[in-house]
């Protein structure tokens, strides 16, 4: 069993009582370098993990990552077990999934990829006004990493490489 300091136990106990097991805000007595040291140790031991914070919903932010995005701290199943709380798999928080706003270029991209014939980079460039490197970046970054979508590609004769998403 993991040995916890009093401060670590307080942080995990508070997180266990919050929605989605968010560990913020930290105790008032824990600020600056001391907070960074305690949180760093908890992240290294797997007691906490960083998760993307939804700043529009006012979720507390541990650190900002730029572009209006931030990271919050969430107690892991291991962290909860360290204070004697067994994870409730039925009520476990679901991973956050983002949905793009309607009418955005990203929504257009997703619609094109979900079409039965998929889309080529050239077709996406024509529809969005993006350059080819921006299209490839959008496929790899926001779609795969942030939204968790599985983009597939195949070489189609007379068309080139075609990218697709499974139908919703």
């Amino acid at each position: 069993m993991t040995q916890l300091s009093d401060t670590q136990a307080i942080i995990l106990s508070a997180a266990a009582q919050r929605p989605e097991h968010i560990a913020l805000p930290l105790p008032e007595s824990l600020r600056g370098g001391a907070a960074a040291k305690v949180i760093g140790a908890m992240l290294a031991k797997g007691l906490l993990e960083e998760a993307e914070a939804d700043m529009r919903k006012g979720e507390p932010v541990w650190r900002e990552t730029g572009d209006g995005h931030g990271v919050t701290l969430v107690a892991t199943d291991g962290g909860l077990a360290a204070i004697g709380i067994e994870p409730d798999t039925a009520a476990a928080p679901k991973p956050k999934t983002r949905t793009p706003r309607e009418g955005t270029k990203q929504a257009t991209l997703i619609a094109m990829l979900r079409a039965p014939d998929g889309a080529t980079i050239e077709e996406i460039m024509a529809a969005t006004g993006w350059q080819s490197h921006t299209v490839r970046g959008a496929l790899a970054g926001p779609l795969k990493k942030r939204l968790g979508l599985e983009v597939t590609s195949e070489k189609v004769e007379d068309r080139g490489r075609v990218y697709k998403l499974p139908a919703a």
Side-chain angles (χ1 to χ4, degrees):
M1 182 155 193
T2 305
Q3 279 294 98
L4 299 176
S5 70
D6 291 341
T7 304
Q8 291 172 333
I10 290 168
I11 292 169
L12 291 171
S13 295
Q17 297 172 23
R18 294 187 184 118
E20 300 181 14
H21 303 302
I22 294 177
L24 299 174
L26 297 174
E28 285 293 320
S29 60
L30 191 61
R31 295 283 171 236
K37 187 172 182 178
V38 170
I39 297 303
M42 293 178 78
L43 289 168
K45 290 180 182 178
L47 302 172
L48 294 176
E49 65 184 5
E50 292 183 334
E52 190 167 341
D54 190 343
M55 296 174 74
R56 287 179 279 180
K57 289 184 180 177
E59 285 185 353
V61 176
W62 168 244
R63 62 183 175 85
E64 290 189 22
T65 57
D67 286 347
H69 296 282
V71 172
T72 191
L73 298 170
V74 179
T76 63
D77 289 345
L80 296 176
I83 58 171
I85 297 175
E86 291 301 316
D88 182 10
T89 54
K94 304 282 186 257
K96 293 182 183 179
T97 57
R98 294 181 155 207
T99 55
R101 294 185 316 265
E102 294 295 318
T104 64
K105 290 181 181 182
Q106 188 178 69
T108 301
L109 171 62
I110 291 171
M112 291 179 75
L113 295 176
R114 286 212 168 116
D117 294 336
T120 65
I121 288 184
E122 291 76 19
E123 293 166 349
I124 296 167
M125 287 169 55
T128 61
W130 289 341
Q131 294 184 4
S132 61
H133 66 274
T134 306
V135 174
R136 288 190 300 275
L139 293 173
L143 296 189
K144 284 187 177 180
K145 293 179 183 171
R146 286 200 190 117
L147 297 176
L149 298 174
E150 188 175 330
V151 180
T152 60
S153 74
E154 62 179 312
K155 190 93 168 171
V156 175
E157 194 171 325
D158 296 330
R159 206 162 162 218
R161 183 143 313 267
V162 175
Y163 296 87
K164 294 181 181 181
L165 284 173

